Amino acid sequence: MKISEIQCHCGAIKIRLSGGPIAQFYCHCDDCQAVHAAAYVPVALYPAQAIEVIKGVPTETVLRTTPRMRCPTCGTFLFSELTNFGLRSLSASLLPREEFKPQFHVQCQYAVLPVKDKLPNFKAFPAKFGGSDEMVDW
């Protein structure tokens, strides 16, 4: 099993990742847009136990119902708790650039602008994540 360590931008929080992500994608939901002040965010989805904070204590913020962890010093968003699914949604911008390999876009119904690349653009989510597989045709 691959073990790696990542950290926030200032180094106050360190995280150990055990194994690889379940999926990597770009999220366009309106929650991510509001929290990250961005049109969309890169996400690496892991089983909750695969993301372990090994240094520091993240601050929890909640928008609507999703707990999101960030560094209390530099404000870097670290991961979201998807407790109903036993998952954590890691801010993939923390991964080394070569390790982020997005497979698709989700929640494109909320997209600020179309993203025309070679990846699938799901209106909500792929079926394997509880969605309908409905696509957005830009």
Side-chain angles (χ1 to χ4, degrees), residues 2-55:
K2 179 182 176 187
I3 305 289
S4 58
E5 292 183 6
I6 58 173
Q7 63 184 24
C8 66
H9 297 301
C10 74
I13 304 287
K14 289 192 180 177
I15 295 172
R16 179 176 295 130
L17 302 174
S18 301
I22 294 168
Q24 294 183 342
F25 53 88
Y26 293 107
C27 184
H28 297 260
C29 80
D30 50 355
D31 284 0
C32 283
Q33 290 174 22
V35 169
H36 296 272
Y40 57 94
V41 297
V43 174
L45 195 62
Y46 286 84
Q49 69 275 11
I51 297 178
E52 176 188 5
V53 177
I54 58 173
K55 177 186 171 194

Side-chain angles (χ1 to χ4, degrees), residues 12 31 39 43 47 57 80 85-86 95 112:
D31 284 0
V43 174
V57 178
S80 298
F85 304 101
L95 295 172
V112 175

Side-chain angles (χ1 to χ4, degrees), residues 77-133:
F77 282 95
L78 307 165
F79 57 88
S80 298
E81 297 280 2
L82 307 173
T83 53
N84 292 345
F85 304 101
L87 301 171
R88 284 185 169 165
S89 175
L90 181 75
S91 179
S93 61
L94 299 174
L95 295 172
R97 190 172 297 254
E98 67 277 2
E99 288 187 27
F100 181 59
K101 297 178 175 127
Q103 300 155 292
F104 48 85
H105 294 263
V106 299
Q107 296 288 43
C108 293
Q109 63 190 329
Y110 300 105
V112 175
L113 291 171
V115 176
K116 296 180 181 182
D117 56 18
K118 295 180 182 185
L119 301 175
N121 291 269
F122 292 96
K123 183 176 181 179
F125 292 100
K128 69 180 183 179
F129 294 107
S132 67
D133 274 347

